[in-house]
Amino acid sequence: MLTPETPGKWALIVDDHPLFCDALELTLRSVAAYTDVRRTHSLASALEELGQAAPPDLVLLDLNLPDVSGLDGLLRLRRQVGDAHVIIVTSVTDNAVINGAIAAGASGFVPKHSSRGTFKEAIDVIRSGQVFTPSGFVAGEGAAEDNVNLRRLTSLTNQQARILELICAGKLNKQIAYELSIAETTVKAHVTAIMRKLGVQNRTQAVLVAHEAQFTSQLPSDEERR
């Protein structure tokens, strides 16, 4: 639960724009009473930060980071933060992306141009156990099949997700076993479990499902978002 008043609770901002991070930090401190607000500029640095501390109460995540595309970052972060709430804060307001983010486990979605009052409203809504969506959002708009696949991807364990990443990179079971220092039979068991959870019959189909999480065509380029 979001309980910033409890000692030791903290919030994490994951965004590569320093000035916007400044604004988000001031917002969290003023509207949600967080005294410990940490900032990272990439998914890799966020995962490193999360690996060195107890899970945060809240994460504010931009979808368009230097080292990740689309909703893949949310899926990876979601597996790392336990019960923490993740609010997507991005310049993208496409209904399909918002629906996908919610399917992938986001607790809320706040456009970057939103006011401080909107952020307070979002946190209040999430504290009440609901999902916050922006004005004008149309629930269910977008590819329903993609959202089903996103929910399936969220069911993967950290180890299964790592193995799926290596499968996407073209690694064979023997190579995956070597890289992760586990038995090849263990890899085979994980691959079987991955395909069952994703509802696919082979590795190629599993890769296609994983790629659907990126939504790269719906995210702005670096030039468009600056």
Side-chain angles (χ1 to χ4, degrees), residues 1-2 56-60 78 83-87 107 126-127:
M1 296 178 60
L2 292 170
D57 279 336
L58 178 67
V59 178
L60 301 186
R78 183 69 270 167
D83 295 330
H85 292 281
V86 180
I87 297 178
S107 298
I126 290 168
R127 282 178 175 167

Side-chain angles (χ1 to χ4, degrees), residues 4 42 65 98 104-105 126 174 186:
S42 67
L65 295 168
I98 299 174
I126 290 168
K174 184 176 182 179
T186 302

Side-chain angles (χ1 to χ4, degrees), residues 1-6 9-12 28 31-34 55-60 78 81 83-87 107-108 119-132:
M1 296 178 60
L2 292 170
T3 54
E5 298 81 4
T6 305
K9 300 298 182 180
W10 60 288
L12 176 65
L28 286 179
V31 307
Y34 283 101
D57 279 336
L58 178 67
V59 178
L60 301 186
R78 183 69 270 167
V81 297
D83 295 330
H85 292 281
V86 180
I87 297 178
S107 298
F119 279 94
K120 182 180 187 307
E121 180 186 0
I123 292 174
D124 288 342
V125 167
I126 290 168
R127 282 178 175 167
S128 71
Q130 302 177 65
V131 174
F132 179 83

Side-chain angles (χ1 to χ4, degrees), residues 131-150:
V131 174
F132 179 83
T133 54
S135 175
F137 166 67
V138 179
E141 185 171 300
E145 182 179 352
D146 289 346
N147 291 342
V148 169
N149 287 334
L150 285 166

Side-chain angles (χ1 to χ4, degrees), residues 41-82:
H41 63 278
S42 67
L43 182 69
S45 58
L47 294 176
E48 181 179 359
E49 178 72 30
L50 291 166
Q52 298 173 354
D57 279 336
L58 178 67
V59 178
L60 301 186
L61 172 68
D62 186 7
L63 289 181
N64 206 333
L65 295 168
D67 58 344
V68 70
S69 295
L71 298 175
D72 183 54
L74 171 59
L75 289 166
R76 293 168 63 186
L77 191 71
R78 183 69 270 167
R79 285 188 287 266
Q80 187 83 12
V81 297

Side-chain angles (χ1 to χ4, degrees), residues 184-198:
E184 189 173 349
T185 54
T186 302
V187 174
K188 290 180 180 178
H190 278 307
V191 171
T192 298
I194 290 167
M195 290 193 292
R196 184 181 67 251
K197 287 184 176 181
L198 298 185

